[in-house]
């Protein structure tokens, strides 16, 4: 059936809003160019969306920067407030933004590893409340949470995983209870990092790539033909459990020791640096207790990015050997993934990936080329640990905009 005038207007409005979501602020002339609509149709469209409170004049464009043709229209930022959380083993980071992603407030704090589940959850939720209050947000439209572990593909909940604090699994429900009008969702942290690197980082020109997360733990995210692939049980990319040469044993269903994690996690990197005679700060049982930080293994692992960064920037032979051995270890895991998926591009993300930069990525690519016949570009991630929080914000923003801009009745 032919579209009625009202249907055509709704389609055009939806198209324009999609353009504002993707491109940011646009002039009427740019809208005309992108949509192919006539000048009068664009003028009517802009008037409708402005009257509906969905777009507004946000500035001016062009050298003259005056006149009606120079007006830049954009999504009304104050239409909704969003929150993003990055949940780690040792703490939580929170930011609150407007509808277009402009950060209004941030908060972060440690969660003591000896805190009980209830107090830990309360500390985390209090951080969200504090950031929302600082941002002047009476309510949060959408909350995106990034956390380590497996996400149940049916329920969307964080699954029970060995080695992760119990308060992680309680947090989503607690945030939903404290903000009952909000849309709350949780996603694996590595998957969020991949979305952020694809939108704003090292994989902007790639529809297919694998992101390898190198930080306290090891994980991978798979983006194939533009879509994030989570697997049948939500466990796609759990490469920490990947059996590889060079370990003293094999991983088990409940423990990744003996898997790829044992070769390339942050604690393994610190141990490798010590083996090569690099100056590693002494952190262990003899270290003074620090009630505001995590356990000794986490404190030791925090040195891994600095050690890798120093080795990548230095000319010392011992540092060079350390970096080359590390690159060979990383290449073992990358080769296994590449042999199955043939992604053409692998991004080394997380704080260790960013610390190693192009130097580590180049060494991994050379090792990989000797092991695999499949041409694969290895890139350094650009966002580091910030990628998880940025990915959580991007998903919250997309979800909120899609809901707010949906045609009536959908």
């Amino acid at each position: 059936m032919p579209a009625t005038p009202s249907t055509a207007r709704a389609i055009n409005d939806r198209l324009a809003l999609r353009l504002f979501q993707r491109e940011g602020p646009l002039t009427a002339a740019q809208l005309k160019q992108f949509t192919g609509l006539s000048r009068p149709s664009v003028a009517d469209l802009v008037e409708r969306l402005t009257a509906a409170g969905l777009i507004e004049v946000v500035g001016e464009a062009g050298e003259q920067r005056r006149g009606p043709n120079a007006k830049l229209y954009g999504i009304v930022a104050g239409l909704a407030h969003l929150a993003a959380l990055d949940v780690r083993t040792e703490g939580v980071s929170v930011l609150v933004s407007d509808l277009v992603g402009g950060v209004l407030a941030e908060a972060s704090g440690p969660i003591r590893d000896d805190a009980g589940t209830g107090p830990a959850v309360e500390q985390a939720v209090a951080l969200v409340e504090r950031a929302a209050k600082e941002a002047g947000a009476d309510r949060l439209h959408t909350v995106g949470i990034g956390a380590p572990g497996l996400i149940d593909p049916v329920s969307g909940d964080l699954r029970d995983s060995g080695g992760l604090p119990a308060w992680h699994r309680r947090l989503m429900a607690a945030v939903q209870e404290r903000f009952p009008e909000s849309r709350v969702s949780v996603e694996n942290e590595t998957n969020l990092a991949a979305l952020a690197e694809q939108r704003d980082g090292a994989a902007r020109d790639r529809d297919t790539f694998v992101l390898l997360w190198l930080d306290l733990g090891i994980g991978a995210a798979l983006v194939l033909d533009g879509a994030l692939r989570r697997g049948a049980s939500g466990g796609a990319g759990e490469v920490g459990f990947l059996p590889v040469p060079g370990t003293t044993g094999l991983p088990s269903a409940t423990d990744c020791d003996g898997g790829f994690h044992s070769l390339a996690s942050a604690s393994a990197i610190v141990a490798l640096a010590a083996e090569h005679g690099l100056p590693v700060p002494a952190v262990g049982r003899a270290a003074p207790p620090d009630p505001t930080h995590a356990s000794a293994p986490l404190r030791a692992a925090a040195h891994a990015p600095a050690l890798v960064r120093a080795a990548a920037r230095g000319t010392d032979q011992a540092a060079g050997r350390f970096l080359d051995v590390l690159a060979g270890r990383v290449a073992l895991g990358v080769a296994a993934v590449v042999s199955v998926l043939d992604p053409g591009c692998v991004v080394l993300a997380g704080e260790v990936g960013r610390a190693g930069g192009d130097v580590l990525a180049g060494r991994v690519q050379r090792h990989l080329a000797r092991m695999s016949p499949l041409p694969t570009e290895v890139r350094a991630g650009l966002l580091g640990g910030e990628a998880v929080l940025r990915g959580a914000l991007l998903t919250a923003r997309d979800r909120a905009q899609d809901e707010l801009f949906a045609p009536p009745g959908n």
Side-chain angles (χ1 to χ4, degrees):
M1 296 178 60
T4 64
S6 61
T7 302
R9 286 193 294 270
I11 292 172
N12 291 337
D13 290 354
R14 182 66 173 164
L15 172 61
L17 288 168
R18 283 289 188 187
L19 287 169
F20 284 120
Q21 288 176 269
R22 189 185 72 198
E23 304 291 338
L26 298 168
T27 64
Q30 289 170 323
L31 272 175
K32 179 179 180 297
Q33 178 183 355
F34 278 121
T35 62
L37 297 172
S38 66
R39 190 181 301 275
S41 294
V42 168
D44 290 344
L45 179 152
V46 168
E47 184 177 352
R48 285 195 304 273
L49 294 180
T50 302
L54 299 178
I55 67 170
E56 62 184 352
V57 177
V58 296
E60 293 183 326
E63 295 181 1
Q64 299 297 325
R65 292 189 180 275
R66 60 172 179 247
N69 293 333
K71 289 182 179 179
L72 272 172
Y73 297 92
I75 293 169
V76 177
L79 197 59
H81 290 98
L82 320 171
L85 283 71
D86 180 4
V87 180
R88 302 295 178 96
T89 304
E90 72 276 17
V92 175
S93 297
V94 182
L95 65 80
V96 175
S97 82
D98 57 32
L99 186 58
V100 296
V103 177
L104 304 174
E106 297 181 79
S108 62
I111 305 294
R112 291 181 52 172
D113 54 355
D114 59 349
T117 300
V121 170
E122 184 59 35
Q123 289 178 49
V125 175
L127 282 173
V128 182
E129 291 181 315
R130 190 176 85 194
K133 182 178 180 180
E134 183 180 334
D138 295 329
R139 61 183 293 268
L140 298 173
H141 183 282
T142 307
V143 180
I145 302 174
L150 304 182
I151 309 300
D152 190 300
V154 177
S155 68
D157 295 332
L158 189 65
R159 289 170 51 187
D160 186 2
S161 300
L164 294 177
W167 64 268
H168 283 197
R169 299 189 303 280
R170 291 273 302 277
L171 183 57
M172 180 178 170
V175 172
Q176 186 69 79
E177 182 179 346
R178 197 67 57 91
F179 299 93
E181 297 180 350
S182 301
R183 292 82 172 153
V184 182
S185 62
V186 63
E187 178 60 272
N188 174 267
E189 60 176 356
T190 309
N191 288 343
L192 291 177
L195 294 175
E197 289 285 1
Q198 186 180 35
R199 294 273 285 272
D200 299 327
R204 281 172 291 189
D205 61 337
R206 291 283 181 167
D207 287 331
T208 295
F209 70 99
V210 169
L211 178 136
L212 181 63
W213 183 259
L214 299 172
D215 213 301
L216 175 63
I218 298 292
L222 321 177
V223 177
L224 307 178
D225 299 324
L228 182 67
R229 306 296 182 178
R230 297 176 176 85
S233 65
E238 286 294 317
V239 294
F241 288 87
L242 187 70
V244 292
T247 61
T248 56
L250 291 173
S252 70
T254 58
D255 191 349
C256 58
D257 283 345
F260 185 42
H261 175 92
S262 298
L263 293 184
S265 66
S267 56
I269 291 172
V270 172
L272 181 65
E275 291 174 13
H276 283 78
L278 302 188
V280 177
V283 180
R285 296 181 182 275
D290 181 1
T292 67
H293 208 286
S295 61
L298 293 177
R299 293 199 303 271
H303 297 299
L307 289 166
V308 172
R309 184 178 298 107
R313 293 176 177 175
T315 57
D316 180 78
Q317 289 186 353
R321 288 193 295 270
F322 154 73
L323 201 64
D324 199 56
V325 173
L326 174 60
R329 289 184 173 189
V330 172
L332 286 174
V334 171
V337 174
V338 165
S339 67
V340 175
L341 297 176
D342 188 17
C345 179
V346 173
V347 176
L348 304 183
E351 290 298 343
V352 171
R354 182 168 66 171
D358 293 337
V359 176
L360 177 61
R363 288 180 183 239
V364 172
Q365 183 165 327
R366 288 192 290 275
H367 279 279
L368 180 62
R370 292 194 290 267
M371 285 187 280
S372 172
L374 306 178
T376 306
E377 182 180 2
V378 181
R379 300 178 178 179
L382 300 181
L383 304 179
E386 299 174 3
V388 176
L389 201 57
R390 190 175 303 193
L393 178 58
L394 286 169
T395 55
R397 189 184 75 185
D398 289 348
R399 184 180 179 189
Q401 290 183 356
D402 285 346
E403 182 174 321
L404 291 168
F405 300 157
N410 279 21

